[in-house]
Each structure stands twice: as C-alpha cells, then as structure tokens.
Amino acid sequence: MSTQLFYESDSRRLDDRNYGLAVQFNQKSTGLSWSNRGLTIDMKIPALGRQIQESVTDIPGRVSLKNGFCLLEGEDHLAGGIVLDATFPLERDVYDAYLSFLDITQNWHLYRIWHYVPFINRETQGIENYRSFCKGRSLAFEHFLGSNFSRKLPAASAVGINDTKLVMYFLAGKTPGMHIENPEQVSAYQYPRCYGPRPPSFARGTCVDVASKRVGYLSGTASIKGHQSVTLEDTADQLYTTLDNMSLIFESMGFVSERHSYGSFFPNGDDYERFFKVYIRHLEDTDYIQSLFSQMIGLREDDRVLYLQSDICRSELNIEIEAIISDRC
C-alpha cells in the first residue's frame, strides 16, 4: 500500500473520559490545551499512517499551571508539557525552560522526557539548532544539579519539527527508576566536542517498577556505535543497527528476550505490551521501513506503532526509534 499522510483527525480526537496526558500528531498547528479532564498537546508533525495519538499517561490527576508548564499531578505520577514560541539560537529558551522544569520536578524521579526541536538541523549564527538546544539543556542541568548531574539523567529524545514551536513533555513518578546505558555506545553525555559545545544530556533508557508492573522507557535510538554514525550507505542497514542497539538496552533492563537471526535480543510481544514511535526522515522510505520493521520485531496485532515523518538529530541519519515496553498484566 502506498504511503499517505493523514490530516482528517477530527473523528479521532479524544473522547469525554479522563485522558491524562495525550499527544496528537498530524495536526495543522502545534499547541497545548487543558481542561479538568487532562492535557492535550497537538503536534504539527505528519503521521505516516492512521495511528496519530500517543498516551503519555492515561491516569487522570489535578491540572495546574506552574512556571509556564501545564502539569497533571496524581498521587504517584507527574506529567506535563510546555509549548514555546522559539527564538534562535535556542540555547537561552532551552536553558530557561529547563531551570523551570527542574524546579518543578525536584521532588520527583524523572522517567522520560520528549523534545521536538524546531528545524533541528538548520544553523543559526553558526551553530546547528540541535547543538544549541543541547548546550542550553546541559548548562541548566549543571546549574541546578551540579557537575555530577549525568547520574540523574533519564531516558529522553529530541527530534525535529518543521515549526517555530519548541515542545517538551515529560513523565515522572515517586518510585525511583534505573537509568540504563548501552554497552556498545558511548554515553551521550560523554560525547566528544566534535558533536557540539555541550554533549546531549540523557540516558539510553530508564526502567521502573510501577504498581508491580515493570516499564522500560527507551530513548530515541539510531544507527550509532561508539559515538559515530554507522551503516550510512543503506536505510535498511540503519534500521538493523538501530534495532540491535534497542535490543541491547532492553537486555540491560532485564526483559526476557528472543534471539533474532541477526544476533541480538528483543522483547517478545507474547510477554510484553509494546509501543513504538518510528521517526522517518524521507517520505519515500516509509513503506520499506514499515514492512521491514514489522518483520524484524515480529509485529503483533496488539502492538502500537506510531510512524512519523521527522528530521533526526544527526543529518546523516534517516531513522530513529523510541519505545515503551511493559509487563503484561
């Protein structure tokens, strides 16, 4: 089936139940709205299929506004987000937003942070927007948490949005999580200066036990070994390497896995609930990636997969994947 972009989203909007924090892609504009039912973030990012919605948490809570963030607070969880009109370079906006964010969440354990960076690979005043974003984020972490902040970094991702909006949303909880690194990758926060004035500030994954249910949050993952982008000649090879990295992180999290023919482990859909978000740079790669990805992970009918067209933090990379894996109840 040929690729289509779907924009008829009105019929798929959220119903009248409490919905926690939900993110809706494929919208005509980017923004954040709230009511006593929860928070909704609309994203001007094309969806490459009929799935257009992500549920960050479906547990309702008390809605409030603090330091520019709209928050949803429950007994054991805190979720929230912010949508900013970006000014370039991004460093100052990101630094200020992160100081507010860290103040809000200082009594919580961070599980997962999502970022959508406007025109991520463009340069402003001689610095790529992503690198400017990373600088502001890193400086804010250091200012608030000190020079050893890396040990507190959770799973995170940052991909592009072709909009002037800078978007950030997150999930935190009362239970401590375990932050995970990939044995075949240099930790992002230890990248050399060739990737920018300050390295990215995130762990490769975070695993937490919530209500006797283990949940693994996988950061945005791509075709990188050590600190270098690899297998750039072919998009299929980038997908293989990405899945290999994903499987290594899930193995480190302790999920029971199934060995695939390419020599790595991946959580079995029979045992776990699985949600994947696949970012594809080039529209023409969509059908091929969807087909190959489905085969590689043994896609099940109850798996949830959201395919989005988005630029990746490194301009030479064509695909990035994030995931959430949890024990079946």
Side-chain angles (χ1 to χ4, degrees), residues 241-271:
T241 307
T242 300
L243 292 176
D244 184 54
N245 282 329
M246 292 171 67
S247 67
L248 286 164
I249 299 165
F250 285 130
E251 183 181 4
S252 296
M253 289 180 176
F255 285 93
V256 178
S257 309
E258 175 185 352
R259 183 175 289 276
H260 279 234
S261 59
Y262 56 91
S264 296
F265 291 94
F266 214 79
N268 190 324
D270 291 332
D271 302 318

Side-chain angles (χ1 to χ4, degrees), residues 37 41 99 253:
R37 295 183 290 123
I41 298 176
L99 286 184
M253 289 180 176

Side-chain angles (χ1 to χ4, degrees), residues 150 185-193 199-200 227:
S150 60
Q185 291 181 307
V186 173
S187 296
Y189 48 81
Q190 294 179 333
Y191 280 176
R193 285 187 63 86
H227 59 76

Side-chain angles (χ1 to χ4, degrees), residues 165-178:
K165 305 292 186 181
L166 173 65
V167 182
M168 173 182 174
Y169 54 95
F170 70 92
L171 180 64
K174 291 295 187 184
T175 304
M178 178 176 61

Side-chain angles (χ1 to χ4, degrees), residues 92-111:
R92 173 53 62 177
D93 283 352
V94 174
Y95 179 81
D96 290 342
Y98 249 87
L99 286 184
S100 296
F101 165 66
L102 293 170
D103 178 62
I104 291 167
T105 59
Q106 62 182 307
N107 296 319
W108 297 81
H109 299 282
L110 295 173
Y111 299 157

Side-chain angles (χ1 to χ4, degrees), residues 27-28 30 61 99 142 150 155 191 244 277 280 304 308 312:
Q27 305 304 299
K28 291 184 171 65
T30 300
L99 286 184
E142 184 176 73
S150 60
Y191 280 176
D244 184 54
K277 197 154 49 166
I280 299 171
R304 293 172 295 136
L308 302 171
I312 313 303

